[in-house]
Amino acid sequence: MSSSSYGAPLVRGKEYLDKYEGFALKGRDSELKNIANILMRKDASSILLTGESGVGLTAMTLGLQASKTDLTAPLDIVSKRFYWLDINEMFASGDPAKINSAFETTRATLSRNPDSVLIIENAPDFINSAKSTGSTHMINGLMADLRAGKYQAILEAPSKNVATVLECDGNFPEFFTTLEIREP
């Protein structure tokens, strides 16, 4: 689903969830509650979701979006605006100038509301694509925005590739809480 309506490679949470018609997260209430609690904290309130491939990292973030319609959901979660980053759209051109422009538009869109949460489904791919296109400043920009409290982020990374994410910035643990998701 293209996100050109905001000029950024972002897909709003509701639109993203609509791609998974009939989606329902079952049996993951405690993990979902942990994610919500981390997002509501003051410090280290961004999340690195990790786990073996196939355990449901994306299902957890979809479940978070779906929980916004639950009458028992905390108001702090209901007020969050979840955005998925379309990595393929962002890096499709291979042109560093276009990639940089798309990322700056993404940052501006997210910064308009401090309740915005950026979700990057495969963070190692994002980091490797940024490095291969000479756009490593994007990682610095993301960390600077998190440091300033402009928005939050949820990065998904398979266990085997989590080192790629942890090594991208020395201050990573200051802003991110690592949460391992296991098979249900």
Side-chain angles (χ1 to χ4, degrees):
M1 178 175 289
S2 179
S3 50
S4 58
S5 59
Y6 350 99
L10 292 172
V11 180
R12 288 185 187 266
K14 184 178 179 333
E15 294 170 8
Y16 196 78
L17 184 60
D18 287 348
K19 291 182 358 180
Y20 299 88
E21 188 176 325
F23 173 83
L25 187 63
K26 304 277 188 204
R28 304 307 288 258
D29 292 342
S30 67
E31 293 98 329
L32 203 56
K33 186 175 182 180
N34 285 344
I35 293 170
N37 286 338
I38 293 167
L39 289 174
M40 292 186 283
R41 293 190 323 205
K42 182 176 169 83
D43 296 321
S45 63
S46 287
I47 302 169
L48 171 60
L49 279 183
T50 186
E52 295 303 317
S53 294
V55 296
L57 300 179
T58 299
M60 295 305 302
T61 53
L62 286 168
L64 196 58
Q65 173 64 40
S67 75
K68 290 179 61 161
T69 60
D70 185 342
L71 297 177
T72 63
L75 185 57
D76 289 340
I77 292 301
V78 173
S79 66
K80 297 286 184 196
R81 294 182 182 184
F82 298 105
Y83 294 90
W84 270 258
L85 181 65
D86 185 336
I87 297 171
N88 292 333
E89 182 179 334
M90 176 170 277
F91 293 103
S93 70
D95 178 354
K98 287 181 181 177
I99 293 167
N100 184 55
S101 176
F103 189 66
E104 291 307 314
T105 303
T106 296
R107 292 176 66 194
T109 300
L110 294 166
S111 296
R112 287 187 198 123
N113 184 333
D115 282 332
S116 295
V117 180
L118 173 64
I119 298 172
I120 302 178
E121 278 189 276
N122 193 332
D125 280 359
F126 169 77
I127 292 166
N128 290 332
S129 294
K131 287 178 179 178
S132 70
T133 58
S135 304
T136 54
H137 63 280
M138 292 169 46
I139 298 161
N140 297 334
L142 172 64
M143 296 303 287
D145 289 349
L146 297 175
R147 184 177 296 112
K150 293 184 177 181
Y151 51 88
Q152 293 170 281
I154 298 175
L155 308 181
E156 298 175 20
S159 297
K160 65 181 181 181
N161 298 335
V162 80
T164 301
V165 179
L166 294 175
E167 294 167 357
C168 75
D169 188 283
N171 296 319
F172 195 86
E174 186 178 339
F175 304 104
F176 282 86
T177 297
T178 301
L179 184 60
E180 184 176 0
I181 302 298
R182 299 178 191 271
E183 284 187 48

